[in-house]
Amino acid sequence: MTLDLVAILRSAWARLRADHVLLLPMAGLTMFLPQFGLLLLVEAPTLEKGDGSTAATAAQAQVVLDWAVKNSGWYLAAYLCAFYGVLVILSLYLDRRRPDLKTALGHAGRLLPRYLLSVVLVGLPVGLGIGLLGPVLGAAMVILLVPAFYWIVRTMLAGAVIVAERPIGAAPAVRRSLALTRGHGLVLAALIAFVTFAGELVAQIFVSLGALMTAADAANPIAMALVDGLAAIVQATAALLLVLIQVEFYRRLSAGQAPAK
């Protein structure tokens, strides 16, 4: 089976345009607002310039670690909101029972623990690989990002499987995603990378603009809220489009294949 990336992207965009009255409020509540809050309220860690020594590098790493621990609750809450929104949208399009919005909201809440477990299962090999090989490779650890991204893409349909083929466990859903995407990993990776990096690139323009205003003492609350809001809009739109792309991928790849047992 050959996947037409342009057709998939057009279908996802057409679905967004056709159902924007339903999708935009949901994405606004679960994707935009949490991201906007993070950009507006959580400051990036401030790293002092080091001399390249082991002690300086360790000090910078400690600053980042302290910052991550301090703000982990905010990020966890934002991710939970986003994951819930993803499940609601997947339920609206992939649930065999064709639920309305109220029913989809309830289904998403019940499926959220299972979906979170699948996220952990997907992230565990990535974390272990980087944790074990990162110190050995040093700066060359960036090469680990390629297989990590490929693994994430191959397992990206686990959420769609959990919704469309329920009842199914987290581990079988991950295996089912691997089976569905077999032979299509590079194609999927190309489209997902395009949408992800394009959205992040545009968002970072606004984030950098805010950083420049802060550095030049030209920032004010309204201006910062504006640039952070624009960055969050771009990131939320990209996230929503990725969910709709998952819907298109699942429908095409699962056609003619028996659901997982």
Side-chain angles (χ1 to χ4, degrees):
M1 177 182 180
T2 302
L3 293 176
D4 187 339
L5 295 186
V6 176
I8 290 174
L9 188 57
R10 284 177 176 173
S11 296
W13 184 253
R15 195 180 299 279
L16 174 57
R17 293 181 61 186
D19 299 337
H20 68 277
V21 174
L22 177 65
L23 293 173
L24 292 184
M26 178 56 58
L29 289 173
T30 61
M31 299 174 185
F32 165 74
L33 284 180
Q35 184 62 32
F36 182 44
L38 289 177
L39 291 172
L40 195 63
L41 302 175
V42 179
E43 296 183 358
T46 302
L47 300 178
E48 297 182 2
K49 292 184 178 180
D51 55 9
S53 65
T54 302
T57 302
Q60 291 178 335
Q62 186 61 47
V63 170
V64 174
L65 179 61
D66 292 341
W67 173 88
V69 171
K70 178 182 177 182
N71 297 290
S72 59
W74 293 108
Y75 279 90
L76 178 60
Y79 279 120
L80 286 175
C81 287
F83 290 155
Y84 178 71
V86 168
L87 285 175
V88 172
I89 296 170
L90 291 176
S91 295
L92 289 170
Y93 291 110
L94 295 180
D95 194 311
R96 297 187 301 269
R97 299 162 182 81
R98 295 290 185 262
D100 56 17
L101 179 57
K102 180 179 179 180
T103 305
L105 291 170
H107 287 174
R110 289 189 290 273
L111 293 175
L112 184 57
R114 196 173 307 173
Y115 182 54
L116 292 177
L117 180 56
S118 73
V119 171
V120 172
L121 293 176
V122 169
L124 195 58
V126 176
L128 289 176
I130 293 178
L132 293 175
L133 298 178
V136 177
L137 296 175
M141 70 175 292
V142 292
I143 64 175
L144 297 176
L145 297 180
V146 175
F149 180 73
Y150 183 75
W151 165 255
I152 291 172
V153 168
R154 288 290 310 278
T155 56
M156 65 174 287
L157 297 182
V161 172
I162 287 174
V163 170
E165 301 179 16
R166 65 189 184 98
I168 185 172
V174 173
R175 292 196 298 269
R176 171 71 167 152
S177 179
L178 290 171
L180 287 171
T181 58
R182 184 178 296 115
H184 304 287
L186 293 179
V187 176
L188 271 67
L191 184 55
I192 299 304
F194 171 74
V195 175
T196 301
F197 295 134
E200 194 59 30
L201 178 63
V202 176
Q204 285 305 313
I205 293 175
F206 297 115
V207 173
S208 299
L209 181 60
L212 287 175
M213 289 192 297
T214 300
D217 293 328
N220 62 73
I222 296 178
M224 291 302 297
L226 177 61
V227 295
D228 287 342
L230 290 172
I233 288 174
V234 173
Q235 291 173 325
T237 302
L240 175 57
L241 189 57
L242 286 174
V243 180
L244 297 178
I245 287 173
Q246 288 183 52
V247 172
E248 298 300 326
F249 273 135
Y250 177 81
R251 285 183 169 176
R252 283 166 169 77
L253 294 177
S254 63
Q257 293 191 28
K261 298 296 184 181

